[in-house]
């Protein structure tokens, strides 16, 4: 299904995964006590319409969010949003004013977090994904809370150069995020992302990674087959590589960063939503995810 130079927009292939995590954030925000509130997530789903909007109104109970990812997928996304929102607050308090969101998708943090004056948020993703976000939010009168700069690039290409060409200064501290990205890259490209971050980040910089260990090969194949046989016209397992270059905390520790990681299941327990990853409702991914953050020494 994937090729080395494949491409997409917001409703196709890997682009549509930005919509399904936005849909989960919108559903989390509807809960009485949400783990995180992204007020823009719903706008994106409604702008696309069809089944993405139906999902928010609970008219598509068999939608892949539950059918493929398990009934805890919404809590999973709420928890990861909360973890990385907190990470950004701490990193901004440290004085860094350059923020780089790799595979930004429909991440709305450049519009919804209270960034200190002078913060530049670089968002890297495919051109049509970034354009959809900008146009949708502009149409609703939303304005960024920082100097938001789009870098339309494929993260398998020379993105460090594109970043520098757009004003990024490696001599000043920076704050990085790769959320919902690693799964969609082969192991060699994952390592190039880590190397690119390390190369451009000076001492005192922060990075955060949503790390996914490969799921059991037999389970992976079963998921692929179920997906191919399914009537649901969306894919996930056909889009991921199920590879990992290295555990992110170990890679960054070995390259001079102070890294800490927490399993998603542990974090869910810590925020009051314990999930047993071995139950079918958890889906195949929840037990594979860790949330990692690191500071460069
Ligand atoms: N980080 C966002 C979030 O958590 O809401 C989006 C995550 S979404 C699951 C995956 C995103 O990765 C999509 O927006 C997709 O376009 C982007 N992406 C994946 N591979 C990419 C690549 N090679 N180059 C640029 N963007 C990529």
């Amino acid at each position: 299904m994937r090729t080395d130079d494949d491409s997409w927009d917001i409703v196709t292939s890997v682009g549509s995964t930005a919509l399904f995590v936005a849909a989960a954030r919108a559903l989390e925000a509807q809960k009485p006590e949400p783990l995180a509130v992204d007020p823009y997530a719903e706008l994106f789903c409604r702008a696309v319409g069809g089944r993405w909007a139906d999902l928010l109104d609970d008219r598509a109970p068999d939608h892949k969010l539950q059918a493929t990812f398990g009934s805890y997928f919404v809590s999973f996304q709420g928890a990861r949003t909360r973890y990385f929102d907190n990470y950004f607050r701490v990193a901004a308090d440290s004085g860094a004013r350059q923020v780089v969101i790799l595979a930004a998708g429909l991440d709305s943090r450049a519009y919804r977090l209270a960034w200190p004056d002078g913060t530049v948020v670089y968002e890297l993703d495919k051109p049509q994904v970034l354009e959809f976000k900008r146009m949708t939010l502009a149409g609703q009168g939303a304005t960024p809370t920082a100097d938001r700069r789009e870098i339309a690039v494929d993260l398998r290409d020379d993105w460090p150069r594109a970043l520098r060409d757009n004003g990024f200064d490696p001599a000043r501290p920076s704050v990085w995020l790769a959320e919902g990205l690693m799964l969609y890259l082969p192991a060699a490209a994952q390592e190039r992302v880590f190397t690119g971050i390390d190369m451009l980040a000076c001492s005192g910089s922060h990075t955060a990674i949503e790390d996914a260990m490969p799921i059991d090969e037999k389970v992976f194949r079963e998921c692929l087959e179920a997906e191919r046989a399914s009537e649901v016209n969306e894919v996930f397992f056909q889009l991921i590589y199920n590879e990992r270059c290295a555990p992110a905390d170990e890679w960054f520790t070995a390259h001079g960063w102070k890294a800490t990681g927490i399993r998603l299941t542990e974090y869910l327990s810590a925020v009051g939503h314990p999930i047993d990853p071995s139950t079918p409702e958890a889906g195949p991914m929840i037990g594979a995810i860790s949330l990692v953050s690191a500071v460069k020494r």
Side-chain angles (χ1 to χ4, degrees), residues 102-104 124-126 153-159 181 185 189 192-193:
L102 302 170
L124 283 69
D125 208 300
K126 292 285 211 177
V153 71
D154 192 301
L155 290 159
R156 295 164 292 190
D157 296 338
D158 189 0
W159 59 265
L181 169 63
L185 296 175
R192 285 198 300 276
V193 165

Side-chain angles (χ1 to χ4, degrees), residues 8 14-15 17-18 21 25 80 102-107 125-126 129 153-156 179-181 184-185:
W8 50 83
V14 186
T17 68
V21 292
R25 288 197 290 270
R80 98 178 190 190
L102 302 170
L106 300 177
D107 181 319
D125 208 300
K126 292 285 211 177
V129 172
V153 71
D154 192 301
L155 290 159
R156 295 164 292 190
E179 178 187 23
L181 169 63
Y184 304 102
L185 296 175

Side-chain angles (χ1 to χ4, degrees), residues 95-236:
R97 295 291 176 265
Q98 302 186 99
V99 174
V100 185
I101 305 182
L102 302 170
L106 300 177
D107 181 319
S108 66
R109 293 184 177 97
Y111 292 79
R112 68 179 176 79
L113 296 189
W115 299 104
D117 287 349
T119 302
V120 181
V121 178
Y122 298 93
E123 295 192 357
L124 283 69
D125 208 300
K126 292 285 211 177
Q128 289 162 290
V129 172
L130 293 171
E131 184 188 14
F132 169 78
K133 173 160 63 178
R134 175 174 20 87
M135 300 294 283
T136 304
L137 292 181
Q140 297 293 324
T143 51
T145 50
D147 175 359
R148 173 178 176 270
R149 297 189 197 170
E150 288 181 9
I151 313 222
V153 71
D154 192 301
L155 290 159
R156 295 164 292 190
D157 296 338
D158 189 0
W159 59 265
R161 180 181 176 156
L163 195 52
R164 295 176 76 143
D165 287 350
N166 280 274
F168 180 88
D169 179 1
R172 292 170 46 228
S174 45
V175 183
W176 299 76
L177 175 63
E179 178 187 23
L181 169 63
M182 292 301 151
L183 292 166
Y184 304 102
L185 296 175
Q190 294 172 7
E191 175 127 37
R192 285 198 300 276
V193 165
F194 289 174
T195 304
I197 294 172
D198 188 42
M199 181 180 77
L200 294 177
C202 67
S203 171
S205 296
H206 296 244
T207 198
I209 310 282
E210 185 194 17
D211 198 15
M213 67 180 167
I215 58 173
D216 175 83
E217 195 54 38
K218 181 168 169 282
V219 173
F220 182 58
R221 273 200 306 276
E222 283 167 3
C223 291
L224 269 177
E225 273 151 33
E227 204 166 69
R228 289 195 187 109
S230 146
E231 306 260 302
V232 181
N233 187 26
E234 288 168 301
V235 292
F236 168 73

